[in-house]
Amino acid sequence: MQVSGFQNVLILIAITGFALMEFASRRYQATVHATANDTKLDLLVFISVVAVSQPLAILVTQGMGQAWFAQWQGAMADWPWWAMFGVLVLGDDLTQYLWHRASHSPLLWPLHRAHHSAQYMSVRMTFRNNFFYYLMMPGLWIAGVLLFLGIGGWVYVLYLSTKMTIILGAHCAWRWDEPLYKIRALSPLMWIVERTISTPATHWAHHALTNKDGIGNYTGNFGNMLFLWDVVFGTAHITRKYPEYIGLMDDRIHGQEHWAHQMFYPLAHSKREDSALRFGGTIYDENKPI
């Protein structure tokens, strides 16, 4: 089996495992009330990432590298695996933290808004974003460059599988960390875990409908694989609690944006005047009166 095929198998196993736990715990049935509009967006974006964005980034960087920088191909091939893994953490996960944080600015918010428009948490919405959000994600292109420079394919599989397992777990409707907080003997370990990787408690807070309940933190908790970046850069908010409501207030007021507007903006525009998905539209601010 080729490296890329093995990578996809491992990620599929992680998705299936968390999905099964969502159903076994009945958290999916109780909390995920998705519409047909949600289903189209969740599914089509997932397909676009797997079939278009990631392969394209690797293909283009490999082609450009061979055409213009052939002398550098394989320059890092003799590095130990742990050094390769560390470079991937910096080149992919740290830059994704920064990209995610920047995507909460007015300029880039329309490309990330789809991820927050889901009114539920589940593995099914982990990849939910605008199509161009992924095409422009620095980490995908940096990973392609690192592979050209000789980062081992199997090291990349190990890295990406680990990262995706953590991210899927952070979005999962089954809150795997919740029972662990109740075990007193595990308290020191969980203190370390919740400050190192993204957990349901910290990432659900990022998807909260509001920050006013003391739990939500949609203006922080940006970490994807490593929550450590939030701790280091001062955007962490840890409560070990979960927000009651998920999603965007303007969608609750006006109804969902069409999946095509969410996925393909700026090629497709919303007709809502106060929508971030149209030129001249406004971004909802919960601190301003409706």
Side-chain angles (χ1 to χ4, degrees):
M1 182 183 295
Q2 293 184 344
V3 173
S4 59
F6 188 67
Q7 163 200 297
N8 293 336
V9 168
L10 289 178
I11 293 175
L12 182 60
I13 290 173
I15 293 173
T16 302
F18 282 118
L20 288 174
M21 287 306 302
E22 287 186 342
F23 278 90
S25 64
R26 300 199 63 80
R27 288 285 305 171
Y28 187 93
Q29 297 90 319
T31 64
V32 180
H33 306 296
T35 65
N37 193 62
D38 287 316
T39 298
K40 291 175 183 177
L41 184 59
D42 292 346
L43 180 60
L44 292 175
V45 173
F46 172 73
I47 293 173
S48 74
V49 172
V50 174
V52 180
S53 303
Q54 187 197 36
L56 181 64
I58 293 175
L59 182 65
V60 170
T61 51
Q62 292 293 310
M64 292 177 64
Q66 291 169 1
W68 298 331
F69 306 101
Q71 70 274 22
W72 293 101
Q73 187 166 9
M76 301 170 66
D78 294 330
W79 286 28
W81 74 267
W82 53 266
M84 293 181 180
F85 193 97
V87 170
L88 282 167
V89 169
L90 295 175
D92 177 70
D93 198 58
L94 174 57
T95 61
Q96 190 171 355
Y97 163 86
L98 297 172
W99 174 244
H100 186 186
R101 185 170 178 174
S103 296
H104 279 255
S105 66
L107 177 63
L108 295 176
W109 172 246
L111 302 185
H112 183 55
R113 184 190 183 280
H115 192 61
H116 287 263
S117 67
Q119 296 182 17
Y120 50 85
M121 295 297 289
S122 169
V123 292
R124 59 174 286 167
M125 52 74 66
T126 302
F127 297 90
R128 176 172 170 149
N129 263 300
N130 182 281
F131 176 74
F132 299 103
Y133 177 86
Y134 287 110
L135 281 184
M136 296 169 60
M137 183 182 290
L140 285 182
W141 298 91
I142 291 174
V145 171
L146 291 175
L147 288 170
F148 170 77
L149 291 175
I151 293 291
W154 290 108
V155 175
Y156 184 64
V157 167
L158 172 64
Y159 167 77
L160 191 61
S161 300
T162 301
K163 175 176 179 173
M164 289 313 308
T165 299
I166 292 172
I167 294 175
L168 288 163
H171 288 86
C172 189
W174 168 58
R175 303 187 298 214
W176 61 263
D177 58 338
E178 189 171 20
L180 302 180
Y181 295 134
K182 300 175 183 178
I183 302 174
R184 182 170 297 181
L186 292 180
S187 184
L189 175 62
M190 292 307 296
W191 188 93
I192 296 172
V193 168
E194 66 190 352
R195 285 165 175 77
T196 304
I197 66 171
S198 292
T199 63
T202 54
H203 200 67
W204 281 46
H206 179 68
H207 283 262
L209 184 68
T210 177
N211 284 355
K212 294 181 178 180
D213 59 1
I215 300 173
N217 188 34
Y218 59 74
T219 52
N221 291 24
F222 298 112
N224 291 273
M225 177 174 73
L226 295 184
F227 189 74
L228 180 63
W229 307 128
D230 287 285
V231 176
V232 170
F233 295 110
T235 53
H237 182 60
I238 302 172
T239 66
R240 296 192 175 184
K241 298 179 181 179
Y242 310 86
E244 184 176 2
Y245 299 107
I246 300 294
L248 298 173
M249 187 64 75
D250 52 333
D251 278 356
R252 290 179 177 264
I253 296 171
H254 302 290
Q256 288 184 316
E257 296 274 19
H258 193 275
W259 69 266
H261 300 154
Q262 297 189 67
M263 183 172 178
F264 293 116
Y265 176 89
L267 299 183
H269 292 233
S270 171
K271 296 181 180 179
R272 184 194 300 174
E273 288 189 6
D274 63 346
S275 172
L277 301 181
R278 67 184 296 269
F279 293 134
T282 57
I283 300 174
Y284 179 84
D285 183 351
E286 73 169 353
N287 296 311
K288 295 180 180 180
I290 300 174

